[in-house]
Amino acid sequence: FFGIRMFYRLSKNEVLISNNYGLYKLNTSSPFKIDTFPLMNGKQVRFVTKYEEALLLSVYKNGLYVFKNDSFYRVPLSADQFELNFCHSTYIDKRENLWVPTDKGLFRSTISSVMEAALKKGPTPFFYFYGTSDGIANTEFNGAGTPSYAVLANNNIFYPSMGGIVTFKPENLNVRLLNVPISIEKISVDDREINLLQSDSIHLASNYKFLFIDLSVPHFGEPKNLVLEYSLDDSSWKKMVVPGSQRITLLGLSSGYHHLLIRKLTGFKTTDYVCKKLIIYRDEHIYEQIWFIFLMIVALTSLILFSIQLQTRRINKQREILRNRVNEQTSELSKAVEVKELLINIISHDMITPLRHISFLSGMLAKGLEKDPEKAIEVLNDIQSTSERIMSGSLSIINWMKYNNKRATVNKKLINLYSLINEVCEIFVPIARGKNIIITNNVNRSKFIEIDSNIFNTIINNLISNAIKYSNTGEISIYLGETDSETKTILKIKDTGNGMSEDTLHAMNEIIKGNIHAITTTHKLSTGLGYIMIAELIRIHGLSLSVESHVNVGTTVSIVIDN
């Protein structure tokens, strides 16, 4: 029993003993017997408090345990109550409040909620925190002292701390959890602020991007005592960060009705909450209509069948060539590998080419209709826009997945930069012409660089697509920038479009650095996925990229290439 920490008499002949290495039960009647508790091996039990038929143990660095019928039950703690793991002792006052001093402050709960959580698997108990704002000079309590605390006849309790003695009368300390309704301060949908009607319902258009709900929740004292949570459509409760933003951000809601429930804790019981309920309705997209879904399924099925037939013919032809060049056994082994790789490359190419054709034809049809029904043009424009996104996104995702999953390696070759840029520009000329945008390739025709054409083509494709998307008219110019190093080439893509705000530009640069969480920092950023892929391909290829942008002036993207 080296380094004994605590004695506690269970009965006339039984004593609990703890040291730095575990907990033991000593039978003092003859013959003497010592029982060990394997669950407590390596744990330091500092204090024991009896409550009804159970014991509450303070286990330093491991939190609170309930000991009953020779079994241990750990008291569950929430993630933001980790300080309670460093508990020193427990005290139950006359009102059955439980007081726990720790290395980080003083905590208060109710003994009934703690026992229910441990023994009956009830809800995680709430612990109210007392810190420096409550008059405690130093929140590090001294748990190595004996006794750990003292209670006088007038019920005043004394705790030793690193800043002196902390004393108070438990029944005189109030819990400052206001039973005040939750108020909504502001609701914003994208860039527009809306007024909440008395019905407490929010109506969202089908093309909404971000919904922000800012709350107003009066609170006094320690911020960590404010427990503010929300649940969407009866999902698990999400705790909001306090102090900090009291804002709920909802994006990507499906069409139809949603129920948002917000609650604030006002006491220690599971029923001590004030709640606020909102009903949210989002309109359906046109592509969510049954007739549109059926049409797209038929079209895509036909496209896939045609592609499979085409690839089957090419694969069969390749098999015949291979069969004539090698012997039968080698041919069977080689075909399995080569056909698999060929199938991936051909499908990757031929799935993109038809989609490009669909996008171009959609633009031509939308401009050439002699009869101009507004609904028809709206549908055609939507198909064109959707096709463009599928075209650009499919090519980017295919290349990104291949390189990101290391299924393809960087294969650098000497490429004519002007020809590569010209090939990409030709794809976007019809789209740009529809928006009165001129694309100019000012790269030196004799400029050669050593790059992986697949990766570089994907990067340029995304950048030009973004430039067209955020330009209403004007010019997109691709040219070589000036550099002092002969070993580097700077390619610039400049547009005269809408430009980016400071917040959007900052988030974009964070994504380029590899911080993908920056996409949630601004509701105006809608090209996050494209730039995440661009940043990853830039990193894989060993290039560097920077973005300069000004609102209503335009954006310039610079790519630095090692010669």
Side-chain angles (χ1 to χ4, degrees), residues 276-312:
K276 179 74 174 178
K277 185 175 183 179
L278 292 176
I279 298 175
I280 305 171
Y281 179 79
R282 180 179 180 179
D283 290 335
E284 289 185 343
H285 286 285
I286 190 170
Y287 54 77
E288 293 177 310
Q289 308 270 343
I290 294 179
W291 67 267
F292 187 87
I293 295 174
F294 177 77
L295 182 63
M296 291 303 297
I297 291 174
V298 171
L300 289 175
T301 302
S302 301
L303 181 62
I304 292 172
L305 291 175
F306 176 76
S307 299
I308 292 175
Q309 290 177 355
L310 181 61
Q311 306 318 317
T312 302

Short mmCIF file of all heavy atoms in Angstrom, two decimals, residues 276-312:
data_model
loop_
_atom_site.label_atom_id
_atom_site.label_comp_id
_atom_site.label_asym_id
_atom_site.label_seq_id
_atom_site.Cartn_x
_atom_site.Cartn_y
_atom_site.Cartn_z
N LYS A 276 -37.51 26.96 -29.06
CA LYS A 276 -38.01 27.76 -30.18
C LYS A 276 -38.08 26.84 -31.39
O LYS A 276 -37.12 26.14 -31.71
CB LYS A 276 -37.05 28.94 -30.47
CG LYS A 276 -37.47 29.82 -31.63
CD LYS A 276 -38.64 30.70 -31.26
CE LYS A 276 -38.95 31.70 -32.38
NZ LYS A 276 -40.11 32.55 -32.06
N LYS A 277 -39.25 26.84 -32.08
CA LYS A 277 -39.43 25.95 -33.22
C LYS A 277 -39.68 26.77 -34.48
O LYS A 277 -40.43 27.73 -34.48
CB LYS A 277 -40.60 25.00 -32.97
CG LYS A 277 -40.78 23.95 -34.07
CD LYS A 277 -41.87 22.96 -33.71
CE LYS A 277 -42.01 21.88 -34.78
NZ LYS A 277 -43.05 20.90 -34.44
N LEU A 278 -39.00 26.38 -35.56
CA LEU A 278 -39.17 27.02 -36.86
C LEU A 278 -39.51 25.97 -37.91
O LEU A 278 -38.98 24.85 -37.88
CB LEU A 278 -37.89 27.75 -37.28
CG LEU A 278 -37.48 28.98 -36.48
CD1 LEU A 278 -36.15 29.50 -36.97
CD2 LEU A 278 -38.53 30.07 -36.56
N ILE A 279 -40.39 26.32 -38.82
CA ILE A 279 -40.72 25.46 -39.96
C ILE A 279 -40.10 26.08 -41.21
O ILE A 279 -40.30 27.26 -41.49
CB ILE A 279 -42.24 25.31 -40.12
CG1 ILE A 279 -42.85 24.65 -38.88
CG2 ILE A 279 -42.56 24.49 -41.37
CD1 ILE A 279 -44.36 24.57 -38.91
N ILE A 280 -39.34 25.28 -41.94
CA ILE A 280 -38.64 25.75 -43.14
C ILE A 280 -39.15 24.95 -44.34
O ILE A 280 -39.22 23.72 -44.29
CB ILE A 280 -37.11 25.57 -42.99
CG1 ILE A 280 -36.62 26.28 -41.72
CG2 ILE A 280 -36.38 26.11 -44.21
CD1 ILE A 280 -35.18 25.96 -41.38
N TYR A 281 -39.49 25.68 -45.40
CA TYR A 281 -39.95 25.01 -46.62
C TYR A 281 -39.09 25.47 -47.79
O TYR A 281 -38.88 26.67 -48.00
CB TYR A 281 -41.42 25.32 -46.92
CG TYR A 281 -41.89 24.66 -48.20
CD1 TYR A 281 -42.23 23.31 -48.23
CD2 TYR A 281 -41.98 25.38 -49.38
CE1 TYR A 281 -42.65 22.70 -49.40
CE2 TYR A 281 -42.40 24.79 -50.56
CZ TYR A 281 -42.74 23.44 -50.57
OH TYR A 281 -43.13 22.83 -51.73
N ARG A 282 -38.57 24.49 -48.57
CA ARG A 282 -37.79 24.81 -49.77
C ARG A 282 -38.53 24.35 -51.01
O ARG A 282 -39.02 23.21 -51.08
CB ARG A 282 -36.42 24.14 -49.71
CG ARG A 282 -35.58 24.45 -50.94
CD ARG A 282 -34.23 23.81 -50.91
NE ARG A 282 -33.46 24.14 -52.11
CZ ARG A 282 -32.23 23.74 -52.35
NH1 ARG A 282 -31.60 22.98 -51.49
NH2 ARG A 282 -31.61 24.10 -53.46
N ASP A 283 -38.61 25.24 -52.01
CA ASP A 283 -39.27 24.91 -53.27
C ASP A 283 -38.52 23.80 -54.00
O ASP A 283 -37.31 23.62 -53.84
CB ASP A 283 -39.36 26.15 -54.17
CG ASP A 283 -40.33 27.18 -53.62
OD1 ASP A 283 -41.25 26.77 -52.87
OD2 ASP A 283 -40.16 28.37 -53.92
N GLU A 284 -39.22 23.10 -54.86
CA GLU A 284 -38.60 22.05 -55.67
C GLU A 284 -37.89 22.65 -56.88
O GLU A 284 -38.37 23.62 -57.48
CB GLU A 284 -39.67 21.06 -56.17
CG GLU A 284 -40.23 20.17 -55.09
CD GLU A 284 -41.19 19.15 -55.67
OE1 GLU A 284 -41.63 19.35 -56.82
OE2 GLU A 284 -41.47 18.16 -54.98
N HIS A 285 -36.74 22.06 -57.25
CA HIS A 285 -36.08 22.40 -58.50
C HIS A 285 -36.87 21.79 -59.66
O HIS A 285 -37.61 20.82 -59.50
CB HIS A 285 -34.66 21.86 -58.54
CG HIS A 285 -33.71 22.62 -57.66
ND1 HIS A 285 -33.23 23.85 -58.00
CD2 HIS A 285 -33.18 22.31 -56.45
CE1 HIS A 285 -32.42 24.28 -57.04
NE2 HIS A 285 -32.38 23.36 -56.09
N ILE A 286 -36.66 22.36 -60.81
CA ILE A 286 -37.34 21.80 -61.99
C ILE A 286 -36.85 20.38 -62.26
O ILE A 286 -37.58 19.51 -62.72
CB ILE A 286 -37.13 22.72 -63.22
CG1 ILE A 286 -38.04 22.24 -64.35
CG2 ILE A 286 -35.68 22.75 -63.65
CD1 ILE A 286 -38.09 23.19 -65.52
N TYR A 287 -35.56 20.13 -61.95
CA TYR A 287 -35.03 18.79 -62.21
C TYR A 287 -35.50 17.77 -61.17
O TYR A 287 -35.18 16.59 -61.27
CB TYR A 287 -33.50 18.81 -62.27
CG TYR A 287 -32.81 19.41 -61.07
CD1 TYR A 287 -32.69 18.71 -59.88
CD2 TYR A 287 -32.27 20.69 -61.15
CE1 TYR A 287 -32.06 19.25 -58.79
CE2 TYR A 287 -31.64 21.26 -60.05
CZ TYR A 287 -31.53 20.53 -58.88
OH TYR A 287 -30.91 21.08 -57.79
N GLU A 288 -36.23 18.21 -60.15
CA GLU A 288 -36.81 17.29 -59.18
C GLU A 288 -38.21 16.84 -59.59
O GLU A 288 -38.82 16.01 -58.92
CB GLU A 288 -36.84 17.93 -57.79
CG GLU A 288 -35.46 18.16 -57.21
CD GLU A 288 -35.52 18.85 -55.86
OE1 GLU A 288 -36.20 19.89 -55.75
OE2 GLU A 288 -34.89 18.36 -54.91
N GLN A 289 -38.73 17.44 -60.67
CA GLN A 289 -40.03 17.04 -61.18
C GLN A 289 -39.93 15.64 -61.80
O GLN A 289 -38.91 15.26 -62.39
CB GLN A 289 -40.50 18.03 -62.25
CG GLN A 289 -40.44 19.48 -61.78
CD GLN A 289 -41.73 19.92 -61.13
OE1 GLN A 289 -42.74 19.26 -61.30
NE2 GLN A 289 -41.68 21.03 -60.43
N ILE A 290 -40.99 14.86 -61.68
CA ILE A 290 -40.96 13.46 -62.13
C ILE A 290 -40.70 13.37 -63.64
O ILE A 290 -39.89 12.54 -64.10
CB ILE A 290 -42.28 12.76 -61.78
CG1 ILE A 290 -42.43 12.67 -60.26
CG2 ILE A 290 -42.35 11.38 -62.42
CD1 ILE A 290 -43.71 12.02 -59.80
N TRP A 291 -41.33 14.24 -64.41
CA TRP A 291 -41.16 14.15 -65.87
C TRP A 291 -39.72 14.46 -66.27
O TRP A 291 -39.18 13.83 -67.19
CB TRP A 291 -42.12 15.11 -66.59
CG TRP A 291 -41.83 16.57 -66.36
CD1 TRP A 291 -42.35 17.37 -65.41
CD2 TRP A 291 -40.92 17.38 -67.11
NE1 TRP A 291 -41.84 18.64 -65.49
CE2 TRP A 291 -40.95 18.68 -66.55
CE3 TRP A 291 -40.09 17.16 -68.20
CZ2 TRP A 291 -40.19 19.73 -67.02
CZ3 TRP A 291 -39.32 18.20 -68.69
CH2 TRP A 291 -39.37 19.47 -68.10
N PHE A 292 -39.10 15.40 -65.58
CA PHE A 292 -37.72 15.76 -65.91
C PHE A 292 -36.76 14.63 -65.53
O PHE A 292 -35.83 14.30 -66.28
CB PHE A 292 -37.33 17.05 -65.19
CG PHE A 292 -35.99 17.59 -65.61
CD1 PHE A 292 -35.87 18.43 -66.70
CD2 PHE A 292 -34.84 17.23 -64.91
CE1 PHE A 292 -34.63 18.91 -67.09
CE2 PHE A 292 -33.60 17.71 -65.30
CZ PHE A 292 -33.49 18.55 -66.39
N ILE A 293 -36.99 14.02 -64.35
CA ILE A 293 -36.15 12.92 -63.93
C ILE A 293 -36.26 11.75 -64.91
O ILE A 293 -35.24 11.13 -65.29
CB ILE A 293 -36.55 12.46 -62.50
CG1 ILE A 293 -36.26 13.59 -61.49
CG2 ILE A 293 -35.82 11.19 -62.11
CD1 ILE A 293 -36.77 13.28 -60.10
N PHE A 294 -37.50 11.47 -65.34
CA PHE A 294 -37.68 10.38 -66.30
C PHE A 294 -36.95 10.66 -67.61
O PHE A 294 -36.29 9.79 -68.19
CB PHE A 294 -39.19 10.18 -66.55
CG PHE A 294 -39.49 9.14 -67.59
CD1 PHE A 294 -39.41 7.79 -67.28
CD2 PHE A 294 -39.84 9.51 -68.89
CE1 PHE A 294 -39.68 6.82 -68.24
CE2 PHE A 294 -40.11 8.55 -69.84
CZ PHE A 294 -40.03 7.20 -69.51
N LEU A 295 -37.06 11.91 -68.10
CA LEU A 295 -36.39 12.30 -69.34
C LEU A 295 -34.88 12.15 -69.22
O LEU A 295 -34.22 11.63 -70.15
CB LEU A 295 -36.77 13.74 -69.69
CG LEU A 295 -36.18 14.30 -71.00
CD1 LEU A 295 -36.69 13.50 -72.20
CD2 LEU A 295 -36.55 15.77 -71.16
N MET A 296 -34.31 12.58 -68.11
CA MET A 296 -32.86 12.49 -67.93
C MET A 296 -32.41 11.03 -67.82
O MET A 296 -31.34 10.66 -68.32
CB MET A 296 -32.45 13.27 -66.68
CG MET A 296 -32.61 14.78 -66.81
SD MET A 296 -31.67 15.46 -68.21
CE MET A 296 -30.01 15.06 -67.73
N ILE A 297 -33.22 10.19 -67.16
CA ILE A 297 -32.86 8.78 -67.05
C ILE A 297 -32.82 8.13 -68.42
O ILE A 297 -31.89 7.36 -68.75
CB ILE A 297 -33.85 8.04 -66.13
CG1 ILE A 297 -33.68 8.51 -64.68
CG2 ILE A 297 -33.67 6.53 -66.22
CD1 ILE A 297 -34.71 7.94 -63.72
N VAL A 298 -33.83 8.43 -69.24
CA VAL A 298 -33.86 7.87 -70.60
C VAL A 298 -32.65 8.33 -71.40
O VAL A 298 -31.98 7.54 -72.08
CB VAL A 298 -35.17 8.26 -71.31
CG1 VAL A 298 -35.13 7.87 -72.79
CG2 VAL A 298 -36.36 7.60 -70.62
N ALA A 299 -32.35 9.65 -71.32
CA ALA A 299 -31.23 10.20 -72.09
C ALA A 299 -29.90 9.61 -71.63
O ALA A 299 -29.06 9.22 -72.46
CB ALA A 299 -31.22 11.72 -71.95
N LEU A 300 -29.69 9.56 -70.33
CA LEU A 300 -28.43 9.03 -69.82
C LEU A 300 -28.29 7.54 -70.10
O LEU A 300 -27.19 7.06 -70.40
CB LEU A 300 -28.33 9.30 -68.31
CG LEU A 300 -28.11 10.76 -67.90
CD1 LEU A 300 -28.16 10.89 -66.39
CD2 LEU A 300 -26.79 11.27 -68.44
N THR A 301 -29.42 6.80 -70.00
CA THR A 301 -29.36 5.37 -70.31
C THR A 301 -28.97 5.14 -71.76
O THR A 301 -28.14 4.28 -72.08
CB THR A 301 -30.72 4.72 -70.01
OG1 THR A 301 -31.07 4.93 -68.64
CG2 THR A 301 -30.68 3.22 -70.29
N SER A 302 -29.56 5.93 -72.67
CA SER A 302 -29.22 5.80 -74.09
C SER A 302 -27.77 6.14 -74.32
O SER A 302 -27.06 5.47 -75.10
CB SER A 302 -30.12 6.73 -74.92
OG SER A 302 -31.49 6.41 -74.74
N LEU A 303 -27.28 7.19 -73.67
CA LEU A 303 -25.89 7.61 -73.82
C LEU A 303 -24.94 6.53 -73.32
O LEU A 303 -23.93 6.22 -73.97
CB LEU A 303 -25.67 8.91 -73.05
CG LEU A 303 -24.26 9.51 -73.10
CD1 LEU A 303 -23.88 9.87 -74.53
CD2 LEU A 303 -24.16 10.73 -72.20
N ILE A 304 -25.27 5.92 -72.17
CA ILE A 304 -24.40 4.88 -71.62
C ILE A 304 -24.40 3.65 -72.52
O ILE A 304 -23.33 3.06 -72.78
CB ILE A 304 -24.87 4.52 -70.19
CG1 ILE A 304 -24.61 5.70 -69.24
CG2 ILE A 304 -24.17 3.27 -69.68
CD1 ILE A 304 -25.22 5.52 -67.87
N LEU A 305 -25.57 3.26 -73.02
CA LEU A 305 -25.64 2.10 -73.91
C LEU A 305 -24.83 2.33 -75.17
O LEU A 305 -24.12 1.43 -75.65
CB LEU A 305 -27.10 1.79 -74.25
CG LEU A 305 -27.96 1.24 -73.09
CD1 LEU A 305 -29.40 1.10 -73.53
CD2 LEU A 305 -27.40 -0.08 -72.60
N PHE A 306 -24.95 3.54 -75.73
CA PHE A 306 -24.18 3.85 -76.94
C PHE A 306 -22.68 3.81 -76.66
O PHE A 306 -21.88 3.28 -77.45
CB PHE A 306 -24.58 5.23 -77.46
CG PHE A 306 -23.77 5.69 -78.64
CD1 PHE A 306 -24.00 5.17 -79.90
CD2 PHE A 306 -22.75 6.62 -78.48
CE1 PHE A 306 -23.24 5.59 -80.99
CE2 PHE A 306 -22.00 7.05 -79.55
CZ PHE A 306 -22.25 6.52 -80.82
N SER A 307 -22.28 4.34 -75.51
CA SER A 307 -20.86 4.35 -75.15
C SER A 307 -20.35 2.93 -74.94
O SER A 307 -19.24 2.59 -75.37
CB SER A 307 -20.64 5.17 -73.87
OG SER A 307 -21.04 6.50 -74.06
N ILE A 308 -21.16 2.09 -74.30
CA ILE A 308 -20.75 0.70 -74.07
C ILE A 308 -20.58 -0.04 -75.39
O ILE A 308 -19.61 -0.80 -75.58
CB ILE A 308 -21.77 -0.01 -73.16
CG1 ILE A 308 -21.72 0.59 -71.74
CG2 ILE A 308 -21.51 -1.51 -73.11
CD1 ILE A 308 -22.78 0.04 -70.81
N GLN A 309 -21.52 0.17 -76.32
CA GLN A 309 -21.40 -0.48 -77.62
C GLN A 309 -20.13 -0.04 -78.35
O GLN A 309 -19.42 -0.86 -78.95
CB GLN A 309 -22.63 -0.15 -78.48
CG GLN A 309 -23.91 -0.82 -77.98
CD GLN A 309 -25.11 -0.42 -78.80
OE1 GLN A 309 -25.01 0.44 -79.69
NE2 GLN A 309 -26.26 -1.02 -78.51
N LEU A 310 -19.85 1.26 -78.30
CA LEU A 310 -18.66 1.79 -78.97
C LEU A 310 -17.39 1.21 -78.34
O LEU A 310 -16.47 0.79 -79.06
CB LEU A 310 -18.66 3.32 -78.87
CG LEU A 310 -17.48 4.03 -79.55
CD1 LEU A 310 -17.45 3.73 -81.05
CD2 LEU A 310 -17.56 5.53 -79.30
N GLN A 311 -17.35 1.19 -77.01
CA GLN A 311 -16.17 0.68 -76.34
C GLN A 311 -16.01 -0.81 -76.57
O GLN A 311 -14.89 -1.31 -76.70
CB GLN A 311 -16.26 0.96 -74.83
CG GLN A 311 -16.52 2.41 -74.44
CD GLN A 311 -15.72 3.39 -75.26
OE1 GLN A 311 -14.54 3.17 -75.53
NE2 GLN A 311 -16.37 4.46 -75.69
N THR A 312 -17.14 -1.55 -76.65
CA THR A 312 -17.08 -2.99 -76.90
C THR A 312 -16.45 -3.28 -78.26
O THR A 312 -15.61 -4.20 -78.39
CB THR A 312 -18.49 -3.60 -76.82
OG1 THR A 312 -19.05 -3.33 -75.53
CG2 THR A 312 -18.45 -5.11 -77.04
#
